[in-house]
Amino acid sequence: VTQGRNAPGVFLMREVENASDLQGLFDACHKVTYTRDRHGGAVPTSLQIEGVTHCMNDQVFRQYMETRERLRSRMTGLATQSAC
């Protein structure tokens, strides 16, 4: 675990134990899609994870959780009001 440069509270964790779970997610979700920007070129048929970096900013995550809880409380209040 290393602290990010010029960004207090940002921690980079280089080794993720369940990278195979992420590979499974990519395998299950990948879809071959031909788009105009390929100009007839090859389209990837799969994606291979070569490494995983977990980046977490405690302050931003805390703000996200607080906002999520405020919204959840507000939505619960609206559902209660409409039920009456």
Side-chain angles (χ1 to χ4, degrees):
V1 178
T2 59
Q3 189 160 4
R5 203 172 34 163
N6 300 325
V10 175
F11 296 92
L12 297 178
M13 293 165 268
R14 298 231 172 246
E15 295 182 24
V16 175
E17 294 174 8
N18 52 354
S20 62
D21 291 343
L22 291 173
Q23 183 63 57
L25 179 65
F26 272 71
D27 294 343
C29 296
H30 182 71
K31 178 180 164 187
V32 177
T33 304
Y34 295 91
T35 56
R36 291 184 302 210
D37 63 331
R38 295 274 177 189
H39 302 290
V43 175
T45 57
S46 66
L47 300 171
Q48 182 68 38
I49 293 180
E50 295 181 0
V52 177
T53 300
H54 178 163
C55 179
M56 185 173 87
N57 181 319
D58 290 337
Q59 180 182 358
V60 170
F61 184 70
R62 220 174 299 115
Q63 290 172 347
Y64 161 76
M65 294 299 287
E66 290 169 1
T67 301
R68 186 176 80 166
E69 287 307 312
R70 273 197 313 275
L71 289 172
R72 183 175 285 157
S73 295
R74 190 179 306 161
M75 296 303 290
T76 302
L78 289 175
T80 304
Q81 289 175 0
S82 65
C84 295

